[in-house]
Coordinates of all heavy atoms in Angstrom, one line a residue:
S365 N 228.3 -40.2 -10.2 CA 228.9 -38.9 -10.5 C 229.5 -38.3 -9.3 O 229.2 -38.7 -8.1 CB 227.8 -38.0 -11.1 OG 226.8 -37.7 -10.1
F366 N 230.4 -37.4 -9.5 CA 231.2 -36.8 -8.4 C 231.6 -35.4 -8.7 O 232.1 -35.1 -9.8 CB 232.5 -37.6 -8.2 CG 233.4 -37.1 -7.1 CD1 232.8 -36.7 -5.8 CD2 234.7 -37.0 -7.2 CE1 233.6 -36.3 -4.8 CE2 235.5 -36.6 -6.2 CZ 235.0 -36.2 -5.0
Q367 N 231.3 -34.4 -7.9 CA 231.7 -33.0 -7.9 C 232.5 -32.8 -6.7 O 232.0 -32.7 -5.5 CB 230.5 -32.1 -8.0 CG 229.7 -32.2 -9.2 CD 228.5 -31.3 -9.2 OE1 227.5 -31.5 -8.4 NE2 228.6 -30.2 -9.9
P368 N 233.9 -32.8 -6.8 CA 234.7 -32.7 -5.5 C 234.3 -31.4 -4.8 O 234.0 -30.4 -5.3 CB 236.1 -32.5 -6.1 CG 236.1 -33.2 -7.4 CD 234.7 -33.0 -7.9
G369 N 234.2 -31.6 -3.4 CA 233.8 -30.5 -2.6 C 232.3 -30.1 -2.5 O 231.9 -29.3 -1.8
R370 N 231.5 -31.0 -3.3 CA 230.1 -30.6 -3.4 C 229.3 -31.9 -3.2 O 228.4 -32.0 -2.2 CB 229.8 -30.0 -4.7 CG 230.4 -28.6 -4.9 CD 230.0 -28.0 -6.2 NE 228.6 -27.8 -6.4 CZ 228.0 -26.7 -6.0 NH1 228.7 -25.7 -5.4 NH2 226.7 -26.5 -6.1
S371 N 229.4 -32.9 -4.1 CA 228.4 -34.0 -4.0 C 229.0 -35.2 -4.7 O 229.8 -35.1 -5.6 CB 227.2 -33.5 -4.8 OG 226.3 -34.6 -5.0
L372 N 228.7 -36.4 -4.1 CA 228.9 -37.7 -4.7 C 227.6 -38.5 -4.8 O 226.9 -38.6 -3.8 CB 230.0 -38.4 -3.8 CG 230.2 -39.9 -4.2 CD1 230.8 -40.0 -5.6 CD2 231.0 -40.6 -3.2
L373 N 227.3 -39.0 -6.0 CA 226.1 -39.8 -6.1 C 226.5 -41.2 -6.5 O 227.3 -41.5 -7.4 CB 225.2 -39.2 -7.3 CG 223.9 -40.0 -7.5 CD1 223.0 -39.9 -6.2 CD2 223.2 -39.3 -8.7
L374 N 226.0 -42.1 -5.7 CA 226.1 -43.6 -5.9 C 224.8 -44.3 -6.1 O 223.8 -43.8 -5.7 CB 226.9 -44.2 -4.7 CG 228.2 -43.5 -4.2 CD1 228.7 -44.1 -3.0 CD2 229.2 -43.5 -5.3
R375 N 224.9 -45.5 -6.6 CA 223.6 -46.3 -6.8 C 223.9 -47.7 -6.2 O 225.1 -48.2 -6.1 CB 223.2 -46.4 -8.3 CG 224.2 -47.2 -9.2 CD 223.7 -47.1 -10.6 NE 224.5 -48.0 -11.5 CZ 225.7 -47.7 -12.1 NH1 226.2 -46.4 -11.8 NH2 226.4 -48.4 -12.9
R376 N 222.8 -48.3 -5.9 CA 222.9 -49.7 -5.3 C 223.6 -50.7 -6.2 O 223.5 -50.8 -7.4 CB 221.4 -50.2 -5.1 CG 221.4 -51.7 -4.6 CD 220.0 -52.3 -4.8 NE 219.1 -51.8 -3.9 CZ 217.8 -51.4 -4.1 NH1 217.4 -51.4 -5.4 NH2 217.0 -51.0 -3.2
N377 N 224.5 -51.5 -5.5 CA 225.1 -52.7 -6.1 C 224.2 -53.9 -5.9 O 224.2 -54.4 -4.8 CB 226.5 -52.9 -5.6 CG 227.2 -54.1 -6.1 OD1 226.7 -54.7 -7.1 ND2 228.4 -54.4 -5.6
P378 N 223.5 -54.3 -6.9 CA 222.5 -55.4 -6.6 C 223.2 -56.8 -6.4 O 222.6 -57.7 -5.9 CB 221.7 -55.4 -7.9 CG 222.7 -54.9 -8.9 CD 223.4 -53.8 -8.3
D379 N 224.5 -56.9 -6.7 CA 225.2 -58.2 -6.6 C 226.3 -58.2 -5.5 O 227.2 -59.0 -5.5 CB 225.9 -58.4 -8.0 CG 225.0 -58.5 -9.1 OD1 223.9 -59.1 -9.0 OD2 225.3 -57.9 -10.2
H380 N 226.2 -57.2 -4.5 CA 227.2 -57.2 -3.4 C 227.1 -58.5 -2.6 O 226.1 -59.0 -2.3 CB 227.0 -56.0 -2.6 CG 228.1 -55.7 -1.6 ND1 228.0 -55.9 -0.3 CD2 229.4 -55.5 -1.8 CE1 229.1 -55.6 0.3 NE2 230.0 -55.4 -0.7
W381 N 228.3 -59.0 -2.3 CA 228.4 -60.2 -1.6 C 227.7 -60.2 -0.2 O 227.2 -61.3 0.2 CB 229.9 -60.6 -1.4 CG 230.6 -59.7 -0.5 CD1 231.4 -58.7 -0.9 CD2 230.7 -59.8 0.9 NE1 231.9 -58.0 0.2 CE2 231.6 -58.7 1.3 CE3 230.2 -60.5 1.9 CZ2 231.9 -58.4 2.6 CZ3 230.5 -60.3 3.2 CH2 231.3 -59.2 3.6
D382 N 227.6 -59.1 0.4 CA 227.0 -59.0 1.7 C 225.5 -58.5 1.6 O 224.9 -58.1 2.6 CB 227.7 -57.9 2.5 CG 227.4 -58.0 4.1 OD1 227.0 -59.2 4.5 OD2 227.5 -57.1 4.8
G383 N 224.9 -58.6 0.4 CA 223.5 -58.2 0.2 C 223.4 -56.8 -0.3 O 224.2 -56.0 -0.1
A384 N 222.4 -56.6 -1.2 CA 222.2 -55.3 -1.9 C 221.8 -54.3 -0.8 O 221.0 -54.7 0.1 CB 221.2 -55.4 -3.0
P385 N 222.2 -53.0 -0.9 CA 221.7 -52.0 0.0 C 220.2 -51.9 -0.1 O 219.6 -52.3 -1.2 CB 222.4 -50.8 -0.5 CG 223.6 -51.3 -1.2 CD 223.2 -52.5 -1.8
Y386 N 219.6 -51.3 0.9 CA 218.1 -51.1 0.9 C 217.7 -50.0 0.0 O 216.7 -49.9 -0.7 CB 217.5 -50.9 2.3 CG 217.7 -52.1 3.2 CD1 218.4 -52.1 4.4 CD2 217.0 -53.3 2.9 CE1 218.6 -53.2 5.2 CE2 217.1 -54.5 3.7 CZ 218.0 -54.4 4.8 OH 218.0 -55.5 5.6
V387 N 218.6 -48.9 0.1 CA 218.2 -47.7 -0.7 C 218.7 -47.8 -2.2 O 219.7 -48.5 -2.4 CB 218.9 -46.4 -0.1 CG1 218.3 -46.2 1.3 CG2 220.4 -46.5 0.0
D388 N 218.0 -47.2 -3.1 CA 218.4 -47.2 -4.5 C 219.7 -46.4 -4.7 O 220.5 -46.8 -5.5 CB 217.2 -46.7 -5.3 CG 216.0 -47.6 -5.4 OD1 216.2 -48.8 -5.2 OD2 214.9 -47.0 -5.5
E389 N 219.7 -45.2 -4.1 CA 220.8 -44.3 -4.3 C 221.3 -43.7 -3.0 O 220.5 -43.6 -2.0 CB 220.4 -43.1 -5.2 CG 220.0 -43.6 -6.6 CD 219.6 -42.4 -7.5 OE1 218.7 -41.6 -7.0 OE2 220.2 -42.1 -8.6
L390 N 222.6 -43.3 -3.0 CA 223.2 -42.7 -1.8 C 223.9 -41.5 -2.4 O 224.8 -41.5 -3.2 CB 224.2 -43.6 -1.2 CG 225.2 -43.1 -0.2 CD1 224.3 -42.6 1.1 CD2 226.1 -44.2 0.3
Q391 N 223.6 -40.3 -1.7 CA 224.2 -39.1 -2.2 C 224.9 -38.4 -1.0 O 224.2 -38.1 0.1 CB 223.1 -38.1 -2.7 CG 223.7 -36.8 -3.3 CD 222.7 -35.9 -3.9 OE1 221.5 -36.0 -3.6 NE2 223.1 -35.0 -4.8
Y392 N 226.1 -38.1 -1.1 CA 226.9 -37.4 -0.1 C 226.9 -35.9 -0.5 O 227.2 -35.6 -1.7 CB 228.3 -37.9 -0.1 CG 228.6 -39.2 0.6 CD1 228.4 -40.4 -0.2 CD2 228.9 -39.4 1.9 CE1 228.6 -41.6 0.3 CE2 229.1 -40.6 2.5 CZ 229.0 -41.7 1.7 OH 229.2 -43.0 2.3
L393 N 226.6 -35.1 0.4 CA 226.6 -33.6 0.2 C 227.5 -33.0 1.2 O 227.6 -33.4 2.4 CB 225.1 -33.0 0.4 CG 224.1 -33.5 -0.6 CD1 222.7 -33.2 -0.2 CD2 224.4 -32.9 -2.0
T394 N 228.1 -31.9 0.7 CA 229.2 -31.2 1.5 C 228.5 -30.1 2.3 O 227.9 -29.2 1.7 CB 230.3 -30.7 0.7 OG1 231.0 -31.9 0.1 CG2 231.4 -30.0 1.6
A395 N 228.7 -30.0 3.6 CA 228.3 -28.9 4.4 C 229.3 -28.8 5.6 O 229.2 -29.6 6.6 CB 226.8 -29.1 5.0
N396 N 230.2 -28.0 5.5 CA 231.3 -27.9 6.5 C 230.9 -27.4 7.8 O 231.5 -27.8 8.9 CB 232.5 -27.1 5.9 CG 233.4 -27.9 5.0 OD1 233.1 -29.0 4.7 ND2 234.3 -27.3 4.4
E397 N 230.0 -26.5 7.9 CA 229.5 -26.0 9.2 C 228.4 -26.8 9.8 O 227.5 -27.2 9.1 CB 229.1 -24.6 9.0 CG 230.2 -23.5 8.5 CD 231.3 -23.4 9.6 OE1 231.1 -23.6 10.7 OE2 232.4 -23.1 9.1
E398 N 228.5 -27.1 11.1 CA 227.5 -27.9 11.8 C 226.1 -27.2 11.5 O 225.1 -27.9 11.4 CB 227.8 -28.1 13.2 CG 226.8 -29.0 13.9 CD 226.5 -28.5 15.4 OE1 226.7 -27.3 15.7 OE2 226.0 -29.3 16.1
S399 N 226.0 -25.9 11.6 CA 224.8 -25.2 11.5 C 224.1 -25.5 10.1 O 222.9 -25.6 9.9 CB 224.9 -23.7 11.6 OG 225.8 -23.2 10.7
A400 N 225.0 -25.6 9.1 CA 224.5 -25.9 7.7 C 224.0 -27.4 7.7 O 222.9 -27.7 7.1 CB 225.6 -25.8 6.7
R401 N 224.6 -28.3 8.3 CA 224.1 -29.7 8.3 C 222.8 -29.9 9.0 O 221.9 -30.5 8.6 CB 225.3 -30.6 8.9 CG 226.6 -30.7 8.1 CD 227.4 -31.8 8.6 NE 228.0 -31.6 9.9 CZ 229.0 -31.0 10.3 NH1 229.6 -30.2 9.4 NH2 229.4 -30.9 11.5
I402 N 222.7 -29.2 10.3 CA 221.5 -29.3 10.9 C 220.3 -28.6 10.2 O 219.2 -29.0 10.1 CB 221.7 -28.7 12.4 CG1 222.5 -29.6 13.2 CG2 220.3 -28.5 13.0 CD1 221.8 -30.9 13.5
G403 N 220.7 -27.4 9.7 CA 219.7 -26.7 8.9 C 219.2 -27.5 7.7 O 218.0 -27.4 7.4
A404 N 220.0 -28.1 7.0 CA 219.7 -29.0 5.9 C 218.8 -30.1 6.3 O 217.8 -30.5 5.6 CB 220.9 -29.5 5.1
L405 N 219.1 -30.7 7.4 CA 218.3 -31.9 8.0 C 216.8 -31.3 8.3 O 215.9 -31.9 7.9 CB 219.0 -32.4 9.2 CG 218.3 -33.6 9.8 CD1 218.4 -34.9 8.9 CD2 218.9 -34.0 11.2
L406 N 216.8 -30.2 9.0 CA 215.5 -29.7 9.4 C 214.7 -29.2 8.2 O 213.4 -29.2 8.2 CB 215.6 -28.7 10.5 CG 216.2 -29.2 11.8 CD1 216.7 -28.1 12.7 CD2 215.2 -30.1 12.5
G407 N 215.4 -28.7 7.2 CA 214.7 -28.2 6.0 C 214.4 -29.2 5.0 O 213.7 -28.9 4.0
G408 N 214.7 -30.5 5.3 CA 214.4 -31.6 4.4 C 215.3 -31.8 3.2 O 215.0 -32.6 2.4
Q409 N 216.4 -31.1 3.2 CA 217.4 -31.3 2.1 C 218.3 -32.6 2.3 O 218.8 -33.1 1.3 CB 218.3 -30.1 2.0 CG 217.7 -28.9 1.4 CD 216.9 -28.1 2.4 OE1 217.5 -28.0 3.6 NE2 215.8 -27.5 2.1

Side-chain angles (χ1 to χ4, degrees):
S365 64
F366 181 45
Q367 294 178 287
R370 294 179 64 86
S371 174
L372 170 67
L373 182 62
L374 309 175
R375 66 185 187 275
R376 172 197 287 134
N377 177 4
D379 301 315
H380 190 244
W381 64 266
D382 197 24
Y386 295 119
V387 297
D388 292 330
E389 293 180 307
L390 170 61
Q391 184 176 25
Y392 287 86
L393 296 167
T394 297
N396 279 358
E397 297 298 332
E398 185 216 20
S399 59
R401 296 193 294 277
I402 289 294
L405 183 70
L406 295 166
Q409 287 86 34

